[in-house]
mmCIF file of all heavy atoms in Angstrom:
data_model
loop_
_atom_site.group_PDB
_atom_site.id
_atom_site.type_symbol
_atom_site.label_atom_id
_atom_site.label_comp_id
_atom_site.label_asym_id
_atom_site.label_seq_id
_atom_site.Cartn_x
_atom_site.Cartn_y
_atom_site.Cartn_z
ATOM 1 N N LEU A 66 -8.970 -14.757 4.183
ATOM 2 C CA LEU A 66 -9.717 -13.591 3.694
ATOM 3 C C LEU A 66 -8.799 -12.488 3.199
ATOM 4 O O LEU A 66 -9.100 -11.797 2.235
ATOM 5 C CB LEU A 66 -10.627 -13.040 4.787
ATOM 6 C CG LEU A 66 -11.825 -13.894 5.164
ATOM 7 C CD1 LEU A 66 -12.545 -13.282 6.356
ATOM 8 C CD2 LEU A 66 -12.770 -14.034 3.992
ATOM 9 N N ALA A 67 -7.675 -12.303 3.863
ATOM 10 C CA ALA A 67 -6.765 -11.210 3.509
ATOM 11 C C ALA A 67 -5.757 -11.607 2.441
ATOM 12 O O ALA A 67 -5.288 -10.758 1.684
ATOM 13 C CB ALA A 67 -6.018 -10.727 4.744
ATOM 14 N N GLY A 69 -5.814 -13.058 -0.435
ATOM 15 C CA GLY A 69 -6.127 -12.703 -1.817
ATOM 16 C C GLY A 69 -5.821 -11.241 -2.110
ATOM 17 O O GLY A 69 -5.291 -10.901 -3.167
ATOM 18 N N VAL A 70 -6.130 -10.379 -1.166
ATOM 19 C CA VAL A 70 -5.848 -8.951 -1.337
ATOM 20 C C VAL A 70 -4.344 -8.703 -1.299
ATOM 21 O O VAL A 70 -3.805 -7.952 -2.115
ATOM 22 C CB VAL A 70 -6.571 -8.114 -0.257
ATOM 23 C CG1 VAL A 70 -6.177 -6.654 -0.354
ATOM 24 C CG2 VAL A 70 -8.067 -8.281 -0.375
ATOM 25 N N VAL A 71 -3.653 -9.348 -0.357
ATOM 26 C CA VAL A 71 -2.199 -9.199 -0.281
ATOM 27 C C VAL A 71 -1.559 -9.635 -1.601
ATOM 28 O O VAL A 71 -0.691 -8.944 -2.140
ATOM 29 C CB VAL A 71 -1.628 -10.001 0.914
ATOM 30 C CG1 VAL A 71 -0.108 -10.026 0.883
ATOM 31 C CG2 VAL A 71 -2.132 -9.428 2.230
ATOM 32 N N ARG A 73 -2.933 -9.686 -4.594
ATOM 33 C CA ARG A 73 -3.254 -8.714 -5.646
ATOM 34 C C ARG A 73 -2.426 -7.449 -5.499
ATOM 35 O O ARG A 73 -2.030 -6.839 -6.499
ATOM 36 C CB ARG A 73 -4.747 -8.393 -5.606
ATOM 37 C CG ARG A 73 -5.590 -9.573 -6.085
ATOM 38 C CD ARG A 73 -7.077 -9.384 -5.924
ATOM 39 N NE ARG A 73 -7.558 -8.131 -6.456
ATOM 40 C CZ ARG A 73 -8.604 -7.477 -5.950
ATOM 41 N NH1 ARG A 73 -9.261 -7.961 -4.922
ATOM 42 N NH2 ARG A 73 -9.002 -6.352 -6.490
ATOM 43 N N LEU A 74 -2.129 -7.035 -4.273
ATOM 44 C CA LEU A 74 -1.288 -5.861 -4.042
ATOM 45 C C LEU A 74 0.137 -6.109 -4.535
ATOM 46 O O LEU A 74 0.725 -5.274 -5.214
ATOM 47 C CB LEU A 74 -1.269 -5.492 -2.562
ATOM 48 C CG LEU A 74 -2.508 -4.823 -2.013
ATOM 49 C CD1 LEU A 74 -2.471 -4.806 -0.495
ATOM 50 C CD2 LEU A 74 -2.644 -3.414 -2.557
ATOM 51 N N LEU A 79 -3.963 -4.522 -7.620
ATOM 52 C CA LEU A 79 -4.746 -3.652 -6.744
ATOM 53 C C LEU A 79 -3.807 -2.565 -6.243
ATOM 54 O O LEU A 79 -2.778 -2.855 -5.631
ATOM 55 C CB LEU A 79 -5.321 -4.464 -5.577
ATOM 56 C CG LEU A 79 -6.231 -3.751 -4.600
ATOM 57 C CD1 LEU A 79 -7.510 -3.286 -5.297
ATOM 58 C CD2 LEU A 79 -6.591 -4.666 -3.445
ATOM 59 N N LYS A 80 -4.125 -1.315 -6.531
ATOM 60 C CA LYS A 80 -3.233 -0.212 -6.170
ATOM 61 C C LYS A 80 -3.402 0.251 -4.731
ATOM 62 O O LYS A 80 -2.509 0.854 -4.164
ATOM 63 C CB LYS A 80 -3.473 0.979 -7.098
ATOM 64 C CG LYS A 80 -3.016 0.758 -8.500
ATOM 65 C CD LYS A 80 -3.208 2.015 -9.313
ATOM 66 C CE LYS A 80 -2.735 1.827 -10.723
ATOM 67 N NZ LYS A 80 -2.843 3.050 -11.500
ATOM 68 N N ASP A 81 -4.560 0.006 -4.168
ATOM 69 C CA ASP A 81 -4.875 0.552 -2.855
ATOM 70 C C ASP A 81 -5.680 -0.481 -2.073
ATOM 71 O O ASP A 81 -6.745 -0.891 -2.512
ATOM 72 C CB ASP A 81 -5.682 1.841 -3.060
ATOM 73 C CG ASP A 81 -6.089 2.514 -1.779
ATOM 74 O OD1 ASP A 81 -5.785 1.996 -0.691
ATOM 75 O OD2 ASP A 81 -6.732 3.576 -1.864
ATOM 76 N N PRO A 82 -5.188 -0.907 -0.903
ATOM 77 C CA PRO A 82 -5.922 -1.912 -0.144
ATOM 78 C C PRO A 82 -7.303 -1.451 0.315
ATOM 79 O O PRO A 82 -8.175 -2.275 0.560
ATOM 80 C CB PRO A 82 -5.023 -2.219 1.052
ATOM 81 C CG PRO A 82 -3.962 -1.205 1.047
ATOM 82 C CD PRO A 82 -3.931 -0.549 -0.290
ATOM 83 N N THR A 83 -7.524 -0.148 0.368
ATOM 84 C CA THR A 83 -8.854 0.322 0.768
ATOM 85 C C THR A 83 -9.892 0.076 -0.324
ATOM 86 O O THR A 83 -11.084 0.195 -0.076
ATOM 87 C CB THR A 83 -8.844 1.827 1.132
ATOM 88 O OG1 THR A 83 -8.469 2.581 -0.016
ATOM 89 C CG2 THR A 83 -7.885 2.103 2.276
ATOM 90 N N ARG A 84 -9.441 -0.287 -1.519
ATOM 91 C CA ARG A 84 -10.372 -0.618 -2.609
ATOM 92 C C ARG A 84 -10.845 -2.070 -2.554
ATOM 93 O O ARG A 84 -11.681 -2.472 -3.347
ATOM 94 C CB ARG A 84 -9.733 -0.343 -3.961
ATOM 95 C CG ARG A 84 -9.507 1.122 -4.216
ATOM 96 C CD ARG A 84 -8.937 1.342 -5.581
ATOM 97 N NE ARG A 84 -8.682 2.752 -5.810
ATOM 98 C CZ ARG A 84 -8.085 3.223 -6.868
ATOM 99 N NH1 ARG A 84 -7.665 2.405 -7.814
ATOM 100 N NH2 ARG A 84 -7.889 4.518 -7.012
ATOM 101 N N ALA A 85 -10.268 -2.843 -1.639
ATOM 102 C CA ALA A 85 -10.709 -4.232 -1.479
ATOM 103 C C ALA A 85 -12.150 -4.223 -0.976
ATOM 104 O O ALA A 85 -12.560 -3.344 -0.219
ATOM 105 C CB ALA A 85 -9.805 -4.959 -0.492
ATOM 106 N N ARG A 86 -12.889 -5.202 -1.397
ATOM 107 C CA ARG A 86 -14.306 -5.281 -1.030
ATOM 108 C C ARG A 86 -14.595 -6.609 -0.353
ATOM 109 O O ARG A 86 -13.827 -7.554 -0.425
ATOM 110 C CB ARG A 86 -15.195 -5.137 -2.278
ATOM 111 C CG ARG A 86 -15.040 -3.795 -2.955
ATOM 112 C CD ARG A 86 -15.605 -2.687 -2.072
ATOM 113 N NE ARG A 86 -15.325 -1.374 -2.606
ATOM 114 C CZ ARG A 86 -14.568 -0.475 -2.007
ATOM 115 N NH1 ARG A 86 -13.995 -0.742 -0.867
ATOM 116 N NH2 ARG A 86 -14.378 0.713 -2.535
ATOM 117 N N GLY A 87 -15.741 -6.668 0.317
ATOM 118 C CA GLY A 87 -16.198 -7.900 0.938
ATOM 119 C C GLY A 87 -15.551 -8.148 2.290
ATOM 120 O O GLY A 87 -15.045 -7.244 2.954
ATOM 121 N N LEU A 88 -15.553 -9.407 2.671
ATOM 122 C CA LEU A 88 -15.040 -9.791 3.984
ATOM 123 C C LEU A 88 -13.534 -9.590 4.126
ATOM 124 O O LEU A 88 -13.022 -9.547 5.240
ATOM 125 C CB LEU A 88 -15.401 -11.244 4.267
ATOM 126 C CG LEU A 88 -16.884 -11.530 4.478
ATOM 127 C CD1 LEU A 88 -17.119 -13.024 4.621
ATOM 128 C CD2 LEU A 88 -17.405 -10.786 5.690
ATOM 129 N N ALA A 89 -12.821 -9.451 3.028
ATOM 130 C CA ALA A 89 -11.372 -9.229 3.091
ATOM 131 C C ALA A 89 -11.040 -7.932 3.817
ATOM 132 O O ALA A 89 -9.941 -7.775 4.335
ATOM 133 C CB ALA A 89 -10.782 -9.209 1.693
ATOM 134 N N ARG A 90 -11.980 -7.024 3.860
ATOM 135 C CA ARG A 90 -11.729 -5.739 4.529
ATOM 136 C C ARG A 90 -11.569 -5.902 6.034
ATOM 137 O O ARG A 90 -10.891 -5.097 6.670
ATOM 138 C CB ARG A 90 -12.853 -4.763 4.221
ATOM 139 C CG ARG A 90 -12.831 -4.315 2.763
ATOM 140 C CD ARG A 90 -13.840 -3.235 2.475
ATOM 141 N NE ARG A 90 -13.728 -2.074 3.316
ATOM 142 C CZ ARG A 90 -12.937 -1.033 3.086
ATOM 143 N NH1 ARG A 90 -12.176 -1.018 2.019
ATOM 144 N NH2 ARG A 90 -12.916 -0.004 3.905
ATOM 145 N N VAL A 91 -12.153 -6.942 6.630
ATOM 146 C CA VAL A 91 -12.081 -7.115 8.083
ATOM 147 C C VAL A 91 -10.638 -7.304 8.554
ATOM 148 O O VAL A 91 -10.169 -6.534 9.396
ATOM 149 C CB VAL A 91 -12.994 -8.270 8.547
ATOM 150 C CG1 VAL A 91 -12.807 -8.546 10.031
ATOM 151 C CG2 VAL A 91 -14.448 -7.959 8.231
ATOM 152 N N LEU A 93 -7.934 -6.613 6.921
ATOM 153 C CA LEU A 93 -7.150 -5.445 6.495
ATOM 154 C C LEU A 93 -7.367 -4.268 7.432
ATOM 155 O O LEU A 93 -6.432 -3.544 7.767
ATOM 156 C CB LEU A 93 -7.497 -5.065 5.063
ATOM 157 C CG LEU A 93 -7.127 -6.087 3.994
ATOM 158 C CD1 LEU A 93 -7.603 -5.625 2.630
ATOM 159 C CD2 LEU A 93 -5.639 -6.350 3.983
#
Side-chain angles (χ1 to χ4, degrees):
L66 290 174
V70 175
V71 171
R73 289 173 50 211
L74 285 167
L79 183 64
K80 290 184 179 183
D81 180 359
T83 62
R84 292 183 182 174
R86 297 292 173 244
L88 292 175
R90 290 186 55 87
V91 174
L93 295 176

